[in-house]
Amino acid sequence: MDQASQPADLAQTWATQILAHQTAIFRLAYLMVGDSMIAEDLAQETVMRALRMQHQFDVERPLKPWLLQITANLARNYRRSLRRYLRALQRFALQQPENSEFNETSGPAWEATQLWHAIGRLAQREQEVLYLRYFLELSEQETAQALGIAQGTVKSRLHRALVRLRGVVDGEFPELRTERCA
């Protein structure tokens, strides 16, 4: 292999490694912003930034948490810039009557939607730690790396988030409480 083709091969290898985590990147973006088109844009921006910032990546650390940290930062920036607009949309959506044709009030899909709404009532940092740890099934260490915090902080945030989530479920979503959760 000649010297001229080495940088192209390295770039291709790096891009392949990043794209191997594309599903997790998209899922986190979607969980944080709740819109698949925006999540797709954020996922693409994550890949582009990772390619541009590859020189900043510490090869001694795992790639996935670094990519998810970029994704989380982009999603936070997006949410911050559109916070008022999203709140107005949420108020509007809550005021709309439900279509009785699709008013299913049981089953796994309904429970998942209700749980997602309940988590949406939590503070952003509580949502993020729950999404990473339980929805994306990252370890506590990977979650800490993705959020740029200590592993002990992940444990304490998870504990507080779960306590708050139980309170939200009890107060606003009691239909999610079952005998096995009581």
Side-chain angles (χ1 to χ4, degrees):
M1 175 182 337
D2 64 1
Q3 294 256 322
S5 66
Q6 281 181 337
D9 291 340
L10 288 175
Q12 182 63 33
T13 301
W14 179 249
T16 302
Q17 289 176 4
I18 292 171
L19 292 176
H21 300 291
Q22 189 171 4
T23 300
I25 291 168
F26 173 81
R27 287 181 65 199
L28 177 60
Y30 180 78
L31 288 167
M32 291 182 70
V33 300
D35 182 292
S36 62
M37 290 178 63
I38 294 168
E40 195 172 304
D41 289 345
L42 292 173
Q44 289 176 3
E45 180 63 22
T46 297
V47 170
M48 297 305 296
R49 285 196 184 188
L51 289 171
R52 282 193 312 263
M53 299 180 347
Q54 67 182 338
H55 63 281
Q56 294 178 358
F57 176 66
D58 179 2
V59 294
E60 300 297 319
R61 301 182 81 170
L63 179 61
K64 186 176 182 179
W66 184 70
L67 293 170
L68 293 177
Q69 183 177 25
I70 294 170
T71 305
N73 288 339
L74 288 170
R76 277 187 217 109
N77 290 343
Y78 170 80
R79 287 173 62 172
R80 192 176 301 120
S81 68
L82 295 177
R83 187 168 282 139
R84 267 192 243 138
Y85 178 70
L86 290 174
R87 285 183 182 154
L89 286 178
Q90 287 173 340
R91 284 192 302 271
F92 177 75
L94 291 174
Q95 294 172 354
Q96 298 304 306
E98 293 186 28
N99 185 342
S100 60
E101 189 177 328
F102 299 104
N103 193 9
E104 183 181 333
T105 57
S106 64
W110 178 83
E111 288 175 356
T113 300
Q114 293 302 303
L115 178 60
W116 190 65
H117 287 298
I119 291 172
R121 300 277 199 269
L122 302 178
Q124 181 178 340
R125 57 184 4 189
E126 293 169 335
Q127 291 176 30
E128 291 170 1
V129 75
L130 289 172
Y131 292 151
L132 290 167
R133 182 70 177 99
Y134 297 117
F135 286 59
L136 295 178
E137 299 175 348
L138 295 183
S139 69
E140 288 175 353
Q141 181 179 4
E142 291 172 321
T143 301
Q145 290 172 345
L147 293 175
I149 59 177
Q151 191 170 341
T153 305
V154 168
K155 289 180 182 182
S156 63
R157 282 190 190 174
L158 278 171
H159 175 74
R160 283 193 300 272
L162 290 173
V163 167
R164 290 228 27 243
L165 182 58
R166 281 186 201 102
V168 169
V169 167
D170 288 343
E172 299 179 43
F173 299 89
E175 61 278 0
L176 289 177
R177 297 293 288 175
T178 62
E179 294 303 315
R180 67 183 188 276
C181 294

